Amino acid sequence: MTESQRPSGEYPMYPSYGNGDAAYPPPPSYAPVQPVAMGPGTTVWPAPGAADGHAGGAGHGGEGPHGLPQAAPEPPASRRRVRRPVALLAAVAIAAAIVGGGTATVIGQLTDHGTASTAGGIIPGTTVSQSNKGTVSGVAAALAPTIVEIGATSTAGESTGSGVVITSDGEIVTNNHVIAGATSIKVTLSTGRTHTADVLGTDADKDLALIKLQGASGLKTAPLGDSSKVAVGDEVVAIGSPEGLTGTVTSGIVSALDRDVTVAKESDSGQGQSQDGQGGGQQWPFEFGGRQFNGDTGDSTTTYKAIQTDASLNPGNSGGALINMNGEIIGINSAMYSASSASASGGSSAGSVGLGFAIPVNTLKADLDTLRAGDSS
């Protein structure tokens, strides 16, 4: 046996640095192993599991197999040290979960088409719509099938203008000056199919006319918007048949509202039929601010409030559509300014310089019943 240099049964104690539970260092979480006196001047350490005062090891008074005393076990590692790596791993796991969750949220926002989660206080990102709504190409694709080319023949010649389909059975809105005095009217759809049209009603004071195709059905129609909601700076699209180029699309903004535009009041004599013609006739004359443009408006005129736009309008756009970015008709194109319109030769003049005018669609909607009733002015 190994002799101990300490008195039998004694065990060194830690000094106290505080009071009660606040003593430092704190007491271990397990009872310290006590030596066992085997005889005078001799002690041995009990086997593992004997710290609670009961037999450990083999269960016979601290003895192991064959009754031999067990070597003193190494004290277990402090629980404080065990908790630190566990806490660190937990923190890393939580951080990974947050990053992973944030990534999933962002991806979800980009693929859910507007369904964004705000769980966990995450700020939702901006989603990108997959629709073409709000683009020039989207508006053109949606509305181009509702815009037609109108060819009117009269004793004065032929003219070309545009029109907007408003009913599936072939009601079409256009300018009065496009069809005034016409003896026959041919309408070409966006598909290339041609129909003969009859005049239902005209309103020379508002420069509006309503015609109807013969034998038409199932046509795509243009939605009529609300021109009272139009604001300066709004983006717009114009579709028409300038110089006979069917389905031409231009775009711009609303430049001004409530322009007092004065135009010639067409009669049934057929005069001025070539004003929107392909054969080199002068452009549709109008007056603004006491000045006349694109020719003499004559003695018989009418004035209306117009939407001004810088979307390019040219001869043949008359009667076509001015459209907002929601794909709604907000005006019927009716007049445009050309810098070289006062040509003495009467030949074809230059194109648009960004001064175009359209009759507000609310003016049309207020006049539709009168036009359908066949009243003319």
Side-chain angles (χ1 to χ4, degrees), residues 24 116 147 199 222 227 252 281 302 308:
Y24 181 83
I147 311 302
V199 177
S227 53
T302 184
Q308 181 181 329

Side-chain angles (χ1 to χ4, degrees), residues 5 7 24-25 34 72 87 129 157 185 190 199 266 282 320-321 324 331 346:
Q5 301 300 318
Y24 181 83
Q34 301 293 331
S129 173
I185 301 173
S190 62
V199 177
E266 293 293 339
Q282 66 179 10
N324 65 19

Side-chain angles (χ1 to χ4, degrees), residues 148 150 165 167-172 182-189 193-200 210-219:
V148 302
I150 299 175
V165 180
T167 64
S168 60
D169 61 351
E171 283 188 356
I172 295 173
T183 55
S184 68
I185 301 173
K186 297 291 185 182
V187 175
T188 303
L189 304 179
R193 186 175 180 180
T194 300
H195 288 264
T196 298
D198 300 315
V199 177
L200 293 183
L210 185 66
I211 63 176
K212 188 166 189 246
L213 304 184
Q214 296 177 3
S217 64
L219 301 182

Side-chain angles (χ1 to χ4, degrees), residues 68-268:
L68 298 177
Q70 299 296 308
E74 293 184 5
S78 171
R79 291 185 181 178
R80 184 180 300 275
R81 293 182 180 179
V82 173
R83 288 173 181 168
R84 287 177 182 172
V86 172
L88 177 59
L89 290 175
V92 172
I94 292 173
I98 292 175
V99 173
T103 304
T105 300
V106 173
I107 293 174
Q109 290 165 357
L110 294 178
T111 57
D112 288 346
H113 306 293
T115 303
S117 172
T118 57
I122 298 174
I123 300 175
T126 302
T127 56
V128 179
S129 173
Q130 300 301 312
S131 171
N132 283 330
K133 185 177 182 179
T135 66
V136 174
S137 60
V139 170
L143 272 295
T146 70
I147 311 302
V148 302
E149 178 183 319
I150 299 175
T153 302
S154 70
T155 56
E158 295 182 354
S159 67
T160 301
S162 304
V164 181
V165 180
I166 62 171
T167 64
S168 60
D169 61 351
E171 283 188 356
I172 295 173
V173 174
T174 187
N175 286 139
N176 177 64
H177 73 259
V178 171
I179 54 89
T183 55
S184 68
I185 301 173
K186 297 291 185 182
V187 175
T188 303
L189 304 179
S190 62
T191 60
R193 186 175 180 180
T194 300
H195 288 264
T196 298
D198 300 315
V199 177
L200 293 183
T202 61
D203 189 338
D205 290 332
K206 297 178 182 176
D207 196 18
L208 291 171
L210 185 66
I211 63 176
K212 188 166 189 246
L213 304 184
Q214 296 177 3
S217 64
L219 301 182
K220 186 171 183 179
T221 62
L224 302 182
D226 184 354
S227 53
S228 69
K229 295 182 179 178
V230 175
V232 173
D234 285 352
E235 292 182 88
V236 289
V237 175
I239 305 179
S241 301
E243 302 293 351
L245 300 174
T246 304
T248 296
V249 177
T250 59
S251 64
I253 64 168
V254 173
S255 303
L257 300 172
D258 298 326
R259 293 298 201 195
D260 287 321
V261 174
T262 300
V263 297
K265 191 173 182 179
E266 293 293 339
S267 65
D268 291 340

